[in-house]
Amino acid sequence: MPSVILRRSLVFMLLGSVFSAGALAAAPGNDPAALAQVRDTALQSDWAYARLADMTDLIGPRLSGSAGAAAAVDQVATAMRALGARVTLQAVKVPHWVRGVETAQIVDYAGRPQGVSQRVVLTALGGSGATPAAGLTAPLIIVKSFEELTVRAAEVKGAIVLIDTPFDQEMAERGLAGATYGQGSRFRYNGPKAAAELGAAAALVRSIGGADFRIPHAGATGLDDGKRIPAAAVTVEDALLIGRLAARGPLKMHLTLTPQNLPDADSYNVIADWPGTDKADEVVIVSGHLDSWDLATGAQDDGAGVVAAMGVIETLKKLDYRARRTIRVIAWMNEENGGRGGQAYFEANQRALDKQYAAIEMDMGAGRPFGILASVGAKSEKLFTPLRAALQAIGAHAFTRRDVLGSGDLHRLEKGGVPSFEPLVDSHNYFHYHHTPADTLDKVDPANLKRNVALMSSLAWYLANLDGEIGRAPEQE
């Protein structure tokens, strides 16, 4: 009798296995109804916005190495575990730079009334060196380009140099915000280093942004150890003031910057996996960067990207959907002033990049999404027709193919052959707030954040179920 019971039990177990396999095989995949379900479920959820409020209001700034960054790691990991994701903390050594006193006055200029000086609003750039505690006073000169900096090398030595390059807001208004930002960030990152090599006492750059609210825009600069001169970004208005005063005659500035470059700190990428079914060893990354500058709470840059990526798993959890491939949410650490998180992940996976099927990063704010940017081959564009059809309902069906996206944390993977994707968002006013004290929760439209979660969820789901390989770009014709 017991043997009969045992045989029956084995039969039921085998039948259960068959039914389970059948259920997995019958998963909804990329049929239009499933894509619509993913899209609409994301659109109806306030979960991502609530997580953004937690991140910005309860923690605030999250510069690498800070207590805020550490708290954000714990917060995101806890939220993803609560959804049932498999969470891993990937160790990363990060720069630990701490802001100090930052003041400046133009203390001598043609026509200056007795006892009067002009205050300049500025903020130290990440990686800046320090002045003496009492500050320094030196001639202030303006250059407009690297070429002019070189030509005026004799004047640069011992001076404070302002590299004055305007942000082209007209380009930003026409959908080219990234292009004009790239021009300005080149001077911000390389300009102070070039000035230091010519013996400058300090370097200033004009803030990179199109809104004139007299607030400075922070950012990293590429100074080398041993040549870390004081470096800061001045507001647009103060750069213009300096230009007008310089037209009247020579200038002198008194500058005080007292940041500290501390030893590298321990931190983590937060990795949360939603395991796949028959292709679980292949990964689709969906991501944003967890660190932010310290002037504000990093709501647009890049809290919104992190919570939109987290929202992908929240959406699939609600639907009880599992894709064929593993969907991997990554909250990157140290995108802003070092890129160490992206580097650590690449180094850990570089021997098996073929298992990194595709990668998505959201890092241009939570403006309304109009579609997708993709570094795929021209022949692969047609593969995304069903996805574009699903996204048409929210006006996010545009598809722009490029050979290289160069996303902040994904560019190493992309160079290694992993197709990269970004939401194509309205960024016309993104650089009003980017890296400023104004990057706060109120700048994020909850409806647009939902649209971004819907796009990210739909794109991640689609890629995780797609048959075959996506053609890499540039594609061999």
Side-chain angles (χ1 to χ4, degrees):
M1 191 72 173
S3 62
V4 173
I5 294 173
L6 179 61
R7 285 196 297 271
R8 286 176 179 173
S9 299
L10 289 171
V11 168
F12 286 129
M13 288 173 61
L14 289 170
L15 287 172
S17 299
V18 170
F19 289 135
S20 296
L24 290 177
N30 284 335
D31 68 75
L35 288 169
Q37 281 274 64
V38 171
R39 178 198 66 210
D40 294 344
T41 300
L43 283 174
Q44 293 161 11
S45 176
D46 294 315
W47 187 88
Y49 190 82
R51 300 292 73 72
L52 183 59
D54 290 346
M55 187 181 297
T56 57
D57 291 349
L58 302 182
I59 296 174
R62 303 175 301 280
L63 189 60
S64 293
S66 69
V73 167
D74 290 341
Q75 189 183 80
V76 171
T78 298
M80 299 313 290
R81 289 188 185 107
L83 291 176
R86 188 174 64 210
V87 174
T88 305
L89 300 183
Q90 182 181 31
V92 184
K93 281 283 188 182
V94 298
H96 190 189
W97 179 85
V98 179
R99 190 177 303 282
V101 175
E102 38 193 36
T103 63
Q105 301 84 32
I106 306 173
V107 295
D108 197 14
Y109 51 92
R112 180 177 68 90
Q114 182 67 28
V116 172
S117 62
Q118 291 285 359
R119 175 175 176 253
V120 171
V121 179
L122 48 65
T123 192
L125 296 174
S128 167
T131 66
L136 64 84
T137 302
L140 174 60
I141 67 170
I142 304 171
V143 300
K144 302 288 187 181
S145 66
F146 288 119
E147 292 76 15
E148 185 181 358
L149 183 69
T150 301
V151 168
R152 298 178 65 185
E155 298 173 72
V156 169
K157 188 171 183 179
I160 300 170
V161 181
L162 169 62
I163 304 168
D164 186 13
T165 56
F167 180 90
D168 192 336
Q169 182 59 26
E170 190 172 353
M171 285 184 71
E173 297 285 348
R174 285 156 178 77
L176 296 169
T180 189
Y181 176 74
Q183 172 76 358
S185 62
R186 184 169 67 96
F187 287 101
R188 184 186 67 206
Y189 190 80
N190 296 314
K193 180 178 179 179
E197 289 172 349
L198 294 174
L204 309 176
V205 298
R206 179 167 168 167
S207 284
I208 309 170
D212 302 335
F213 301 142
R214 208 182 183 197
I215 54 175
H217 295 236
T221 193
L223 291 163
D224 295 327
D225 288 338
K227 292 185 178 180
R228 290 191 183 276
I229 62 172
V234 302
T235 70
V236 171
E237 292 87 344
D238 288 289
L240 294 172
L241 169 65
I242 292 167
R244 292 193 300 270
L245 292 177
R248 295 173 178 263
L251 308 176
K252 280 189 178 179
M253 173 177 275
H254 183 77
L255 175 67
T256 305
L257 297 176
T258 61
Q260 299 178 69
N261 287 278
L262 301 174
D264 285 356
D266 294 322
S267 193
Y268 304 91
N269 289 328
V270 182
I271 300 174
D273 285 348
W274 195 244
T277 56
D278 60 304
K279 290 182 176 289
D281 61 328
E282 297 181 14
V283 171
V284 172
I285 295 169
V286 57
S287 66
H289 69 81
L290 190 52
D291 60 310
S292 78
W293 282 104
D294 55 328
L295 300 183
T297 59
Q300 291 274 10
D301 185 23
D302 185 32
V306 171
V307 301
M310 294 166 67
V312 173
I313 290 184
E314 194 266 343
T315 298
L316 300 181
K317 167 80 170 180
K318 279 183 176 175
L319 291 168
D320 195 22
Y321 277 7
R322 296 278 177 173
R324 299 181 69 196
R325 297 180 181 87
T326 294
I327 293 175
R328 172 168 292 169
V329 169
I330 304 180
W332 305 102
M333 182 53 67
N334 187 230
E335 187 273 346
E336 292 292 5
N337 62 334
R340 304 275 186 87
Q343 179 70 36
Y345 186 85
F346 174 77
E347 289 175 356
N349 292 279
Q350 62 184 325
R351 296 181 184 277
L353 288 180
D354 58 314
K355 297 299 183 182
Q356 306 293 306
Y357 184 79
I360 309 162
E361 183 167 20
M362 177 175 161
D363 187 20
M364 276 293 283
R368 179 186 159 183
F370 293 115
I372 296 164
L373 295 171
S375 63
V376 299
K379 292 178 180 178
S380 296
E381 191 169 341
K382 62 181 180 294
L383 294 175
F384 295 89
T385 300
L387 174 63
R388 295 176 65 191
L391 293 173
Q392 190 163 9
I394 59 170
H397 54 289
F399 191 92
T400 299
R401 192 201 68 79
R402 294 179 183 167
D403 285 348
V404 178
L405 295 187
S407 304
D409 296 287
L410 301 182
H411 68 273
R412 298 173 188 86
L413 293 171
E414 183 181 51
K415 189 174 181 180
V418 180
S420 291
F421 298 82
E422 298 175 9
L424 174 60
V425 299
D426 177 8
S427 57
H428 80 277
N429 66 350
Y430 175 61
F431 291 104
H432 291 2
Y433 312 114
H434 175 263
H435 292 189
T436 76
D439 185 5
T440 48
L441 181 64
D442 52 284
K443 307 307 187 304
V444 176
D445 180 341
N448 281 336
L449 182 60
K450 287 180 182 180
R451 292 185 182 100
N452 277 289
V453 177
L455 184 147
M456 296 268 275
S457 298
S458 300
L459 176 57
W461 175 257
Y462 189 80
L463 290 167
N465 288 295
L466 199 59
D467 287 326
E469 292 296 314
I470 311 168
R472 270 55 167 169
E475 191 173 60
Q476 297 297 320
E477 299 293 343

